[in-house]
Amino acid sequence: MQYEPFSLDLTTPLSTSRGEIERREGFLIRVERDDVVGLGEATPLPGWTESIEECEAALTDWSEARQVEPAEMGETPAARHGIELAQVDADARAAGEPLATFLADGSPADSVPVNATVGDGSVESTAGATREAVESGYRAVKVKVGARDSDVDAARLRAAREAAGDGVELRADANGVWDVPTAERLLDVAADLDFAYVEQPLAADDLRGHAELRGRGVGIALDESVVSVGPDRVLTADAADILVCKPMALGGPRRTLDVARRAAARGVDVVVTTTIDAVVARVGAVHVAAALPGISACGLATGSVLSADLAPDPAPVEEGSIRVPTGPGLAGDAFAALRTKR
Ligand SMILES: [Mg+2]
């Protein structure tokens, strides 16, 4: 196994729970098995995964000393994701199958619908960005809320619905900042406007609070909770209608599929998203989403946030969806240049 660092600037700074970031740093990973090179990517996002230093330490241990096995890398999910992605890419290539086919129980989807994301902004800019997304073909739009007064957010949700029209799936994401009265009020607004779900209305550790918010006519999706508390505790607490699953924060493609299967067994849906990754991890997540039966729109339209990438994107967003690459592994020969050490 080899790994190689990279750094990619963002088009605009991204605000995270740990402050603003201007670039994404990570590692491209190569695993060789019987002359087949598998590619993976580990791009840690502090607050969601380990730090870049912890990620590199785990990759070093694994590549040189083999002191840890991937199965034990639970504390460094980004590193574990990178290694597991490279392994399944190599295995799928050896089998001559696209990764989604290799991972799926049945036949995978040919394409994955994705949502546009409308960031915080005025009522007018929320309407404008929603309209623009729908005009470019998106059938699902997620509106970021929670940064403004709840009256303004309520007006923004109304403006988004008005701009989107009736046939478009709308979602909102509060990133855990509301208290219970605010959440109840905005959930009722979202339900009236036929939003599909509201993501993370309350703090990540408040599973009971989220469980009590279900059943108000709009779905409860949990994202931060899945990472910080863990998917199984979220499921056991009946805290969510939908789990937001980031393969990079859950520790790899197979782990994500396992979580999705456990969720489905309890009647809970899954949406696959990224941690703002480079193209190798994003394409990996597209295959994971395609391997899940009946997947709804996913948060995989994140490539445009990067001002440069490791390689041209073989799975771009077109009309609000991503066609799953059909070559062996991640994308046939699309990443040929990345497979040889530079
Ligand atoms: Mg979220």
PDB file of all heavy atoms in Angstrom, residues 50-80:
ATOM      1  N   GLU A  50     -11.121  11.922  11.856  1.00  0.00           N
ATOM      2  CA  GLU A  50      -9.852  12.247  12.497  1.00  0.00           C
ATOM      3  C   GLU A  50      -9.197  13.461  11.815  1.00  0.00           C
ATOM      4  O   GLU A  50      -9.607  13.869  10.727  1.00  0.00           O
ATOM      5  CB  GLU A  50      -8.909  11.032  12.444  1.00  0.00           C
ATOM      6  CG  GLU A  50      -8.293  10.708  11.063  1.00  0.00           C
ATOM      7  CD  GLU A  50      -9.180   9.812  10.206  1.00  0.00           C
ATOM      8  OE1 GLU A  50     -10.408   9.842  10.377  1.00  0.00           O
ATOM      9  OE2 GLU A  50      -8.619   9.100   9.346  1.00  0.00           O
ATOM     10  N   SER A  51      -8.139  13.975  12.439  1.00  0.00           N
ATOM     11  CA  SER A  51      -7.366  15.070  11.843  1.00  0.00           C
ATOM     12  C   SER A  51      -6.452  14.519  10.743  1.00  0.00           C
ATOM     13  O   SER A  51      -6.244  13.308  10.624  1.00  0.00           O
ATOM     14  CB  SER A  51      -6.511  15.742  12.917  1.00  0.00           C
ATOM     15  OG  SER A  51      -5.509  14.840  13.348  1.00  0.00           O
ATOM     16  N   ILE A  52      -5.870  15.424   9.974  1.00  0.00           N
ATOM     17  CA  ILE A  52      -4.944  15.006   8.910  1.00  0.00           C
ATOM     18  C   ILE A  52      -3.731  14.274   9.501  1.00  0.00           C
ATOM     19  O   ILE A  52      -3.261  13.283   8.946  1.00  0.00           O
ATOM     20  CB  ILE A  52      -4.523  16.234   8.042  1.00  0.00           C
ATOM     21  CG1 ILE A  52      -3.716  15.813   6.816  1.00  0.00           C
ATOM     22  CG2 ILE A  52      -3.746  17.270   8.839  1.00  0.00           C
ATOM     23  CD1 ILE A  52      -4.540  15.465   5.630  1.00  0.00           C
ATOM     24  N   GLU A  53      -3.271  14.730  10.678  1.00  0.00           N
ATOM     25  CA  GLU A  53      -2.113  14.083  11.314  1.00  0.00           C
ATOM     26  C   GLU A  53      -2.467  12.657  11.770  1.00  0.00           C
ATOM     27  O   GLU A  53      -1.700  11.713  11.575  1.00  0.00           O
ATOM     28  CB  GLU A  53      -1.625  14.894  12.523  1.00  0.00           C
ATOM     29  CG  GLU A  53      -1.052  16.274  12.182  1.00  0.00           C
ATOM     30  CD  GLU A  53      -2.122  17.345  11.948  1.00  0.00           C
ATOM     31  OE1 GLU A  53      -3.312  17.106  12.266  1.00  0.00           O
ATOM     32  OE2 GLU A  53      -1.769  18.428  11.424  1.00  0.00           O
ATOM     33  N   GLU A  54      -3.631  12.519  12.388  1.00  0.00           N
ATOM     34  CA  GLU A  54      -4.061  11.177  12.841  1.00  0.00           C
ATOM     35  C   GLU A  54      -4.287  10.252  11.649  1.00  0.00           C
ATOM     36  O   GLU A  54      -3.980   9.057  11.708  1.00  0.00           O
ATOM     37  CB  GLU A  54      -5.358  11.294  13.657  1.00  0.00           C
ATOM     38  CG  GLU A  54      -5.159  11.961  15.009  1.00  0.00           C
ATOM     39  CD  GLU A  54      -6.473  12.441  15.637  1.00  0.00           C
ATOM     40  OE1 GLU A  54      -7.448  12.715  14.903  1.00  0.00           O
ATOM     41  OE2 GLU A  54      -6.514  12.543  16.868  1.00  0.00           O
ATOM     42  N   CYS A  55      -4.801  10.814  10.572  1.00  0.00           N
ATOM     43  CA  CYS A  55      -5.044  10.023   9.366  1.00  0.00           C
ATOM     44  C   CYS A  55      -3.717   9.513   8.799  1.00  0.00           C
ATOM     45  O   CYS A  55      -3.562   8.323   8.506  1.00  0.00           O
ATOM     46  CB  CYS A  55      -5.773  10.881   8.333  1.00  0.00           C
ATOM     47  SG  CYS A  55      -6.198  10.032   6.812  1.00  0.00           S
ATOM     48  N   GLU A  56      -2.747  10.416   8.698  1.00  0.00           N
ATOM     49  CA  GLU A  56      -1.443  10.009   8.145  1.00  0.00           C
ATOM     50  C   GLU A  56      -0.769   8.976   9.047  1.00  0.00           C
ATOM     51  O   GLU A  56      -0.170   8.017   8.558  1.00  0.00           O
ATOM     52  CB  GLU A  56      -0.530  11.221   7.950  1.00  0.00           C
ATOM     53  CG  GLU A  56       0.806  10.811   7.345  1.00  0.00           C
ATOM     54  CD  GLU A  56       1.581  11.965   6.738  1.00  0.00           C
ATOM     55  OE1 GLU A  56       1.324  13.122   7.130  1.00  0.00           O
ATOM     56  OE2 GLU A  56       2.430  11.686   5.865  1.00  0.00           O
ATOM     57  N   ALA A  57      -0.883   9.173  10.371  1.00  0.00           N
ATOM     58  CA  ALA A  57      -0.272   8.209  11.293  1.00  0.00           C
ATOM     59  C   ALA A  57      -0.880   6.819  11.099  1.00  0.00           C
ATOM     60  O   ALA A  57      -0.163   5.808  11.089  1.00  0.00           O
ATOM     61  CB  ALA A  57      -0.450   8.686  12.733  1.00  0.00           C
ATOM     62  N   ALA A  58      -2.188   6.767  10.923  1.00  0.00           N
ATOM     63  CA  ALA A  58      -2.850   5.469  10.729  1.00  0.00           C
ATOM     64  C   ALA A  58      -2.412   4.834   9.409  1.00  0.00           C
ATOM     65  O   ALA A  58      -2.165   3.625   9.343  1.00  0.00           O
ATOM     66  CB  ALA A  58      -4.370   5.653  10.755  1.00  0.00           C
ATOM     67  N   LEU A  59      -2.295   5.656   8.353  1.00  0.00           N
ATOM     68  CA  LEU A  59      -1.864   5.121   7.058  1.00  0.00           C
ATOM     69  C   LEU A  59      -0.424   4.626   7.135  1.00  0.00           C
ATOM     70  O   LEU A  59      -0.076   3.597   6.560  1.00  0.00           O
ATOM     71  CB  LEU A  59      -2.006   6.195   5.968  1.00  0.00           C
ATOM     72  CG  LEU A  59      -3.438   6.621   5.640  1.00  0.00           C
ATOM     73  CD1 LEU A  59      -3.431   7.796   4.659  1.00  0.00           C
ATOM     74  CD2 LEU A  59      -4.242   5.458   5.064  1.00  0.00           C
ATOM     75  N   THR A  60       0.424   5.368   7.874  1.00  0.00           N
ATOM     76  CA  THR A  60       1.819   4.949   8.039  1.00  0.00           C
ATOM     77  C   THR A  60       1.900   3.624   8.772  1.00  0.00           C
ATOM     78  O   THR A  60       2.604   2.700   8.349  1.00  0.00           O
ATOM     79  CB  THR A  60       2.605   6.020   8.827  1.00  0.00           C
ATOM     80  OG1 THR A  60       2.406   7.275   8.189  1.00  0.00           O
ATOM     81  CG2 THR A  60       4.086   5.702   8.867  1.00  0.00           C
ATOM     82  N   ASP A  61       1.165   3.526   9.874  1.00  0.00           N
ATOM     83  CA  ASP A  61       1.146   2.271  10.636  1.00  0.00           C
ATOM     84  C   ASP A  61       0.740   1.117   9.736  1.00  0.00           C
ATOM     85  O   ASP A  61       1.345   0.049   9.748  1.00  0.00           O
ATOM     86  CB  ASP A  61       0.104   2.352  11.774  1.00  0.00           C
ATOM     87  CG  ASP A  61       0.658   3.100  12.973  1.00  0.00           C
ATOM     88  OD1 ASP A  61       1.853   3.433  12.956  1.00  0.00           O
ATOM     89  OD2 ASP A  61      -0.126   3.350  13.919  1.00  0.00           O
ATOM     90  N   TRP A  62      -0.294   1.358   8.960  1.00  0.00           N
ATOM     91  CA  TRP A  62      -0.846   0.266   8.173  1.00  0.00           C
ATOM     92  C   TRP A  62       0.080  -0.123   7.038  1.00  0.00           C
ATOM     93  O   TRP A  62       0.246  -1.286   6.726  1.00  0.00           O
ATOM     94  CB  TRP A  62      -2.218   0.657   7.628  1.00  0.00           C
ATOM     95  CG  TRP A  62      -3.027  -0.548   7.300  1.00  0.00           C
ATOM     96  CD1 TRP A  62      -3.674  -1.353   8.182  1.00  0.00           C
ATOM     97  CD2 TRP A  62      -3.216  -1.107   6.014  1.00  0.00           C
ATOM     98  NE1 TRP A  62      -4.267  -2.386   7.506  1.00  0.00           N
ATOM     99  CE2 TRP A  62      -4.010  -2.265   6.185  1.00  0.00           C
ATOM    100  CE3 TRP A  62      -2.804  -0.759   4.726  1.00  0.00           C
ATOM    101  CZ2 TRP A  62      -4.405  -3.061   5.116  1.00  0.00           C
ATOM    102  CZ3 TRP A  62      -3.188  -1.553   3.665  1.00  0.00           C
ATOM    103  CH2 TRP A  62      -3.979  -2.693   3.864  1.00  0.00           C
ATOM    104  N   SER A  63       0.726   0.890   6.422  1.00  0.00           N
ATOM    105  CA  SER A  63       1.560   0.579   5.250  1.00  0.00           C
ATOM    106  C   SER A  63       2.913   0.014   5.648  1.00  0.00           C
ATOM    107  O   SER A  63       3.440  -0.861   4.991  1.00  0.00           O
ATOM    108  CB  SER A  63       1.750   1.825   4.389  1.00  0.00           C
ATOM    109  OG  SER A  63       2.496   2.794   5.085  1.00  0.00           O
ATOM    110  N   GLU A  64       3.478   0.505   6.759  1.00  0.00           N
ATOM    111  CA  GLU A  64       4.834   0.075   7.113  1.00  0.00           C
ATOM    112  C   GLU A  64       4.827  -1.033   8.150  1.00  0.00           C
ATOM    113  O   GLU A  64       5.286  -2.134   7.914  1.00  0.00           O
ATOM    114  CB  GLU A  64       5.638   1.270   7.635  1.00  0.00           C
ATOM    115  CG  GLU A  64       5.962   2.254   6.530  1.00  0.00           C
ATOM    116  CD  GLU A  64       6.579   3.534   7.065  1.00  0.00           C
ATOM    117  OE1 GLU A  64       6.826   3.616   8.285  1.00  0.00           O
ATOM    118  OE2 GLU A  64       6.800   4.446   6.245  1.00  0.00           O
ATOM    119  N   ALA A  65       4.305  -0.722   9.303  1.00  0.00           N
ATOM    120  CA  ALA A  65       4.429  -1.669  10.401  1.00  0.00           C
ATOM    121  C   ALA A  65       3.286  -2.672  10.441  1.00  0.00           C
ATOM    122  O   ALA A  65       3.391  -3.718  11.049  1.00  0.00           O
ATOM    123  CB  ALA A  65       4.477  -0.903  11.718  1.00  0.00           C
ATOM    124  N   ARG A  66       2.189  -2.339   9.776  1.00  0.00           N
ATOM    125  CA  ARG A  66       1.004  -3.172   9.833  1.00  0.00           C
ATOM    126  C   ARG A  66       0.603  -3.454  11.282  1.00  0.00           C
ATOM    127  O   ARG A  66       0.196  -4.536  11.647  1.00  0.00           O
ATOM    128  CB  ARG A  66       1.200  -4.491   9.081  1.00  0.00           C
ATOM    129  CG  ARG A  66       1.241  -4.266   7.590  1.00  0.00           C
ATOM    130  CD  ARG A  66       1.236  -5.578   6.817  1.00  0.00           C
ATOM    131  NE  ARG A  66       0.868  -5.335   5.432  1.00  0.00           N
ATOM    132  CZ  ARG A  66      -0.338  -5.526   4.942  1.00  0.00           C
ATOM    133  NH1 ARG A  66      -1.300  -5.974   5.700  1.00  0.00           N
ATOM    134  NH2 ARG A  66      -0.580  -5.286   3.662  1.00  0.00           N
ATOM    135  N   GLN A  67       0.750  -2.388  12.085  1.00  0.00           N
ATOM    136  CA  GLN A  67       0.391  -2.554  13.495  1.00  0.00           C
ATOM    137  C   GLN A  67      -1.113  -2.568  13.681  1.00  0.00           C
ATOM    138  O   GLN A  67      -1.613  -3.037  14.683  1.00  0.00           O
ATOM    139  CB  GLN A  67       0.984  -1.413  14.332  1.00  0.00           C
ATOM    140  CG  GLN A  67       2.488  -1.575  14.509  1.00  0.00           C
ATOM    141  CD  GLN A  67       3.112  -0.320  15.066  1.00  0.00           C
ATOM    142  OE1 GLN A  67       2.527   0.759  15.023  1.00  0.00           O
ATOM    143  NE2 GLN A  67       4.314  -0.468  15.592  1.00  0.00           N
ATOM    144  N   VAL A  68      -1.811  -1.974  12.734  1.00  0.00           N
ATOM    145  CA  VAL A  68      -3.261  -1.999  12.835  1.00  0.00           C
ATOM    146  C   VAL A  68      -3.842  -2.649  11.589  1.00  0.00           C
ATOM    147  O   VAL A  68      -3.289  -2.541  10.506  1.00  0.00           O
ATOM    148  CB  VAL A  68      -3.861  -0.579  12.969  1.00  0.00           C
ATOM    149  CG1 VAL A  68      -3.634  -0.019  14.349  1.00  0.00           C
ATOM    150  CG2 VAL A  68      -3.302   0.337  11.906  1.00  0.00           C
ATOM    151  N   GLU A  69      -4.923  -3.329  11.763  1.00  0.00           N
ATOM    152  CA  GLU A  69      -5.668  -3.866  10.644  1.00  0.00           C
ATOM    153  C   GLU A  69      -6.803  -2.893  10.357  1.00  0.00           C
ATOM    154  O   GLU A  69      -7.299  -2.234  11.279  1.00  0.00           O
ATOM    155  CB  GLU A  69      -6.231  -5.241  10.999  1.00  0.00           C
ATOM    156  CG  GLU A  69      -5.181  -6.343  10.951  1.00  0.00           C
ATOM    157  CD  GLU A  69      -4.563  -6.471   9.560  1.00  0.00           C
ATOM    158  OE1 GLU A  69      -5.334  -6.505   8.582  1.00  0.00           O
ATOM    159  OE2 GLU A  69      -3.330  -6.506   9.467  1.00  0.00           O
ATOM    160  N   PRO A  70      -7.245  -2.811   9.104  1.00  0.00           N
ATOM    161  CA  PRO A  70      -8.357  -1.903   8.813  1.00  0.00           C
ATOM    162  C   PRO A  70      -9.554  -2.123   9.736  1.00  0.00           C
ATOM    163  O   PRO A  70     -10.222  -1.180  10.125  1.00  0.00           O
ATOM    164  CB  PRO A  70      -8.703  -2.233   7.363  1.00  0.00           C
ATOM    165  CG  PRO A  70      -7.416  -2.685   6.795  1.00  0.00           C
ATOM    166  CD  PRO A  70      -6.713  -3.434   7.901  1.00  0.00           C
ATOM    167  N   ALA A  71      -9.781  -3.369  10.127  1.00  0.00           N
ATOM    168  CA  ALA A  71     -10.935  -3.643  10.998  1.00  0.00           C
ATOM    169  C   ALA A  71     -10.826  -2.909  12.316  1.00  0.00           C
ATOM    170  O   ALA A  71     -11.816  -2.648  12.983  1.00  0.00           O
ATOM    171  CB  ALA A  71     -11.051  -5.141  11.245  1.00  0.00           C
ATOM    172  N   GLU A  72      -9.592  -2.559  12.715  1.00  0.00           N
ATOM    173  CA  GLU A  72      -9.385  -1.899  14.008  1.00  0.00           C
ATOM    174  C   GLU A  72      -9.286  -0.381  13.863  1.00  0.00           C
ATOM    175  O   GLU A  72      -9.014   0.311  14.838  1.00  0.00           O
ATOM    176  CB  GLU A  72      -8.087  -2.416  14.652  1.00  0.00           C
ATOM    177  CG  GLU A  72      -8.141  -3.893  14.965  1.00  0.00           C
ATOM    178  CD  GLU A  72      -6.752  -4.499  15.073  1.00  0.00           C
ATOM    179  OE1 GLU A  72      -5.769  -3.740  15.144  1.00  0.00           O
ATOM    180  OE2 GLU A  72      -6.666  -5.728  15.086  1.00  0.00           O
ATOM    181  N   MET A  73      -9.484   0.111  12.656  1.00  0.00           N
ATOM    182  CA  MET A  73      -9.256   1.534  12.427  1.00  0.00           C
ATOM    183  C   MET A  73     -10.513   2.368  12.636  1.00  0.00           C
ATOM    184  O   MET A  73     -10.747   3.346  11.947  1.00  0.00           O
ATOM    185  CB  MET A  73      -8.691   1.755  11.020  1.00  0.00           C
ATOM    186  CG  MET A  73      -7.298   1.159  10.863  1.00  0.00           C
ATOM    187  SD  MET A  73      -6.690   1.247   9.171  1.00  0.00           S
ATOM    188  CE  MET A  73      -6.379   2.985   9.011  1.00  0.00           C
ATOM    189  N   GLY A  74     -11.309   2.015  13.632  1.00  0.00           N
ATOM    190  CA  GLY A  74     -12.554   2.725  13.870  1.00  0.00           C
ATOM    191  C   GLY A  74     -12.359   4.175  14.255  1.00  0.00           C
ATOM    192  O   GLY A  74     -13.204   5.021  13.978  1.00  0.00           O
ATOM    193  N   GLU A  75     -11.227   4.488  14.890  1.00  0.00           N
ATOM    194  CA  GLU A  75     -10.984   5.858  15.344  1.00  0.00           C
ATOM    195  C   GLU A  75     -10.470   6.748  14.216  1.00  0.00           C
ATOM    196  O   GLU A  75     -10.372   7.950  14.389  1.00  0.00           O
ATOM    197  CB  GLU A  75      -9.964   5.859  16.490  1.00  0.00           C
ATOM    198  CG  GLU A  75     -10.396   5.045  17.696  1.00  0.00           C
ATOM    199  CD  GLU A  75     -11.709   5.569  18.272  1.00  0.00           C
ATOM    200  OE1 GLU A  75     -11.756   6.765  18.603  1.00  0.00           O
ATOM    201  OE2 GLU A  75     -12.670   4.796  18.371  1.00  0.00           O
ATOM    202  N   THR A  76     -10.087   6.153  13.131  1.00  0.00           N
ATOM    203  CA  THR A  76      -9.587   6.935  11.992  1.00  0.00           C
ATOM    204  C   THR A  76     -10.400   6.545  10.745  1.00  0.00           C
ATOM    205  O   THR A  76      -9.882   5.903   9.837  1.00  0.00           O
ATOM    206  CB  THR A  76      -8.084   6.676  11.759  1.00  0.00           C
ATOM    207  OG1 THR A  76      -7.861   5.263  11.648  1.00  0.00           O
ATOM    208  CG2 THR A  76      -7.241   7.234  12.883  1.00  0.00           C
ATOM    209  N   PRO A  77     -11.679   6.946  10.718  1.00  0.00           N
ATOM    210  CA  PRO A  77     -12.560   6.474   9.639  1.00  0.00           C
ATOM    211  C   PRO A  77     -12.128   6.928   8.253  1.00  0.00           C
ATOM    212  O   PRO A  77     -12.336   6.197   7.275  1.00  0.00           O
ATOM    213  CB  PRO A  77     -13.928   7.050  10.013  1.00  0.00           C
ATOM    214  CG  PRO A  77     -13.649   8.173  10.957  1.00  0.00           C
ATOM    215  CD  PRO A  77     -12.393   7.792  11.686  1.00  0.00           C
ATOM    216  N   ALA A  78     -11.509   8.124   8.144  1.00  0.00           N
ATOM    217  CA  ALA A  78     -11.097   8.580   6.810  1.00  0.00           C
ATOM    218  C   ALA A  78      -9.989   7.683   6.266  1.00  0.00           C
ATOM    219  O   ALA A  78     -10.017   7.286   5.094  1.00  0.00           O
ATOM    220  CB  ALA A  78     -10.650  10.043   6.859  1.00  0.00           C
ATOM    221  N   ALA A  79      -9.017   7.339   7.120  1.00  0.00           N
ATOM    222  CA  ALA A  79      -7.938   6.437   6.700  1.00  0.00           C
ATOM    223  C   ALA A  79      -8.509   5.071   6.334  1.00  0.00           C
ATOM    224  O   ALA A  79      -8.163   4.471   5.310  1.00  0.00           O
ATOM    225  CB  ALA A  79      -6.906   6.301   7.819  1.00  0.00           C
ATOM    226  N   ARG A  80      -9.418   4.587   7.186  1.00  0.00           N
ATOM    227  CA  ARG A  80      -9.998   3.276   6.933  1.00  0.00           C
ATOM    228  C   ARG A  80     -10.790   3.285   5.619  1.00  0.00           C
ATOM    229  O   ARG A  80     -10.712   2.343   4.831  1.00  0.00           O
ATOM    230  CB  ARG A  80     -10.925   2.874   8.080  1.00  0.00           C
ATOM    231  CG  ARG A  80     -11.316   1.435   7.991  1.00  0.00           C
ATOM    232  CD  ARG A  80     -12.321   1.007   9.022  1.00  0.00           C
ATOM    233  NE  ARG A  80     -12.487  -0.426   8.939  1.00  0.00           N
ATOM    234  CZ  ARG A  80     -13.099  -1.051   7.948  1.00  0.00           C
ATOM    235  NH1 ARG A  80     -13.618  -0.360   6.942  1.00  0.00           N
ATOM    236  NH2 ARG A  80     -13.200  -2.368   7.929  1.00  0.00           N
TER     237      ARG A  80
END
